[in-house]
Amino acid sequence: NTIVGFIQEYKAEKTLEDIKKRISFQSTVLRNGQEKKIDSSQVAIGDILILEAGDRIPADGRIFELNDFQVNEASLTGESLPIDKELGVLDKGTNLADRKNMVYMGTVVTRGRAKIVVTGTGTKTHLGEIASLVKETEKEKTPLQLKLSKFSKILGIVVLFASLILFIVGVILGQEVFEMFETAVAVAVAAIPEGLLVGVTIILTVGMQRILKKKALVRRLVAAETLGSTSVICSDKTGTLTIGKMRTAKLLTGYCDLDKDLLDFEKKKDVESDSDHDFLIKAGVICNNSLLTNEDNKKEFIGDPTETALLKAGIDSGYDYKKLRNDNERLAEVPFSTEIKFMATLNKKDTDNNIIYLKGAPEKILNFCSKILVDGEVKDLSKEDKDKILDNFDELTYKGLRVLASAYKLTDKDKKNLTQEDIAKADGLIFIGVFALRDPLRKEAKDTIDLCQQAGIKPIIITGDHRLTVKAIANEIGIETDDENIIEGNEMDELSDKELEKRVKEIRIYARVSPKHKLRIIDAWQKHNEVVAMLGDGVNDAPALKTSDIGVAVGSGTDVAKGTADIVLLDDNFKTIVDAVKQGRIIFDNIRKVLVYLLADSFSELILISGALIYGWFAFHGNGDIILPITALQILYINIITDGFPYIALTFEPGEKDVMKLKPRQKTTPILDNEMKVLIFIMGIMTDLILFGIYFYMINHDFDVTYMRTFIFTALAVDSLFYVFSVKSLRKTIFHINIFSNRYLLLAVAVAFGLQLAAIYTPFMREVLELTVLNLTDWIWIIGFGLINVLFIELGKYIFIFKEHHKELFKKFTKK
């Protein structure tokens, strides 16, 4: 058990290490008046850091000088768009995502240049605070561990007490002390399902391997089962439900009428060369500095995420962007900055003209324009037209889209330079249209959310993004929300833990949150006895990943998140978590099946021997030796051989088709439910009644003791091999399942049956176990008893199945 568990978890960790890329980062600091490259780990508080596009920021710091400076803080805040940084003083208590005069360790510069003074390094950074939270957060035992621990204690006490009583009663009734001690020990060994530990480990191991085939890496063995009882999934938005990259979602031209001119970009494949939409796409590619590289046969966009989205729109429309830029040679450029909020380029057009392209904030671009392009014609643009267009922009923004406008103007072919003043003074700029950008949903996200909700799992979005952006995503993905179902981090700060616990079930979206908020959310759900899975990718998710019942990190996420999580999604596919949940449910089902099988005949020997002792006492009135129906060695042989192989094979059960239609189990749900207890009782009592009846008949008809014990020994073994097929499903009768679906089980039963035959018909084994040979008639009786037992078991299952399908009828009947 220990070896199997260690090997599986070691393999998981090795796989994770192979995924990680070990990189040594350098930073530029200003020391003694000179710029100097040092290892990032050597940066100290008070250092002046010089940051440029592409740099990974090694420390927290305050910006005191910048030029068009932009930082991607998604790993900390969950904000999908890069943040434009500013100088100045902010109000005390400003949310992390809105602290535009600061930079933080672990984030990446996407554009521009800045100088900062380092205010925190190591544990004194915001990232360090998160690391401290992770360290302080205790990992609770999984529901399976708690249930098995409780079950084992109860079972151990019951078995030891029953065996002790059996021993004392046997001695009092005149049996030899050593014989009764030997028998009591054998009964205890048979009654305690010691195979459960190995069985659970194998089930979890097989489950891990199946989950890995679905592209999810399980780092902790017991975590595989916890997935199956997941009732709440707290998911980050950026990089989890969405792809984590900006893309062009819509194109609008002319007056940007949402009813008429709205175009689904992804559906537009055949672009007319003279259409307004085509012209808009060309402008987005030409007035653009991003690139597409193809290193090591891996295509990758480089540049500002917004410009990357426009470039991808052009490439997806069938354009060779390099040829397009070469044909429209750039002569001059006004670079984008947060102050002017636009970018402009001067490009060659033809022998008679050059052309100026603009892109930027819609209100800024519209303010420059006096004309508009409508269906290929240039028309005057009135103030009323501008107001109408801006209203449409506001509606798009409310839907979570980022709007970027574009314009152009023809100029004289002799113009070679371009300045900011040229744009401000330009007359006759023509408005083309807008790109509506967004971080799009993953393709499978909506179907996965639907499947989650069908399975009774509540999806909750927790993000650092703006509430309107998240609301739009949630409604699109199938999580119906209104303002009452959304709360922001600063609103949470005003709620006590008790108040949050009362409201947590009605809140579907948490916006603008910090790591401490995520911990409170998970804790509030756990107080309702829900099993919480936390899905995340950023550094800011690490504490929540650890404190949740099951922490799930996406493979493209940060090393901190993957190192803390129980499970890593290797393909970043949100659907993978649902596939893993399905396997988790199958794992728990298989554990229950093994448990039912092992317990079904665990007490058969105990009851059989106890019954024989009591009967013997009354039959002989304390005089004469009481003949036990089975010996200690025979009990152990059955326990090892006929019980051993089938239960191992049960661990490979493929799972039932309806497993995702069931409601999630609560933490308080016992590992043995009422149906299972009844099945165990039916299996046990029927076996005991049949065997005790055989014992009673043979004792009173003076059968040979060796023959009697051989018959009961074989009947007990064969009975176990029969009802293992009933255990294949606890929700369907044997007549509604494929009993041949598990080839390992068929092989195990065949091997166990062969070993049972070997015990009877091999002279050496027959002598050791004190058995005799059985004839064909004996086998017919034994098989007949086994089939009768199976029929009673299936009848018991059918009653429970009927009751489950007619709950309302049973409720009315109970009330009457």
Side-chain angles (χ1 to χ4, degrees), residues 335-454:
F336 181 90
S337 71
T338 53
E339 286 77 22
I340 64 173
K341 295 184 178 179
F342 71 88
M343 173 186 177
T345 60
L346 175 64
N347 300 82
K348 284 186 177 181
K349 180 171 174 55
D350 51 41
T351 55
D352 298 321
N353 296 292
N354 289 336
I355 187 170
I356 297 172
Y357 288 107
L358 274 78
K359 76 170 191 301
E363 64 279 2
K364 194 79 173 180
I365 300 299
L366 270 176
N367 190 47
F368 288 143
C369 296
S370 58
K371 297 184 181 297
I372 185 170
L373 183 67
V374 181
D375 296 328
E377 295 183 17
V378 177
K379 299 182 178 181
D380 290 334
L381 183 65
S382 66
K383 184 179 183 303
E384 290 74 18
D385 292 333
K386 290 183 179 181
D387 290 340
K388 179 184 175 183
I389 292 171
L390 286 172
D391 287 342
N392 289 335
F393 292 166
D394 289 340
E395 187 170 339
L396 290 173
T397 302
Y398 184 80
K399 292 179 178 178
L401 296 165
R402 183 183 184 186
V403 183
L404 196 67
S406 182
Y408 78 101
K409 176 179 168 54
L410 296 176
T411 67
D412 188 81
K413 66 176 182 178
D414 295 327
K415 185 172 179 61
K416 304 295 182 184
N417 297 314
L418 188 67
T419 64
Q420 183 180 331
E421 288 72 23
D422 291 338
I423 303 299
K425 295 177 182 178
D427 182 42
L429 277 167
I430 304 164
F431 180 77
I432 307 172
V434 298
F435 298 88
L437 309 176
R438 71 178 307 175
D439 180 7
L441 291 177
R442 293 185 177 276
K443 290 181 180 179
E444 67 289 334
K446 190 176 189 305
D447 290 340
T448 305
I449 290 293
D450 289 341
L451 186 57
C452 280
Q453 294 181 144
Q454 288 174 25

Side-chain angles (χ1 to χ4, degrees), residues 546-655:
K546 187 173 181 181
T547 197
S548 61
D549 295 289
I550 189 83
V552 185
V554 295
S556 64
T558 60
D559 287 347
V560 175
K562 287 183 284 191
T564 308
D566 301 302
I567 293 176
V568 180
L569 304 184
L570 301 181
D571 60 355
D572 285 13
N573 190 332
F574 188 75
K575 183 178 181 297
T576 304
I577 185 64
V578 180
D579 291 335
V581 167
K582 180 179 179 180
Q583 285 301 323
R585 292 188 173 190
I586 292 172
I587 286 169
F588 191 76
D589 270 1
N590 287 349
I591 289 172
R592 279 185 154 181
K593 290 170 186 177
V594 168
L595 191 56
V596 168
Y597 180 70
L598 290 174
L599 289 180
D601 64 345
S602 286
F603 291 95
S604 292
E605 294 92 341
L606 177 65
I607 296 171
L608 186 62
I609 293 171
S610 299
L613 289 172
I614 295 169
Y615 168 74
W617 170 259
F618 285 106
F620 301 109
H621 304 288
N623 300 313
D625 291 333
I626 298 172
I627 301 172
L628 297 180
I630 193 169
T631 68
L633 196 57
Q634 290 167 357
I635 291 172
L636 295 179
Y637 190 83
I638 291 173
N639 191 51
I640 294 170
I641 304 303
T642 57
D643 284 0
F645 290 102
Y647 95 78
I648 292 291
L650 274 176
T651 65
F652 293 91
E653 277 294 301

Side-chain angles (χ1 to χ4, degrees), residues 268 270-279 282 319:
K268 187 171 181 59
D270 300 321
V271 185
E272 297 294 334
S273 61
D274 59 349
S275 72
D276 295 351
H277 285 96
D278 180 64
F279 189 40
K282 288 179 180 178
Y319 286 108

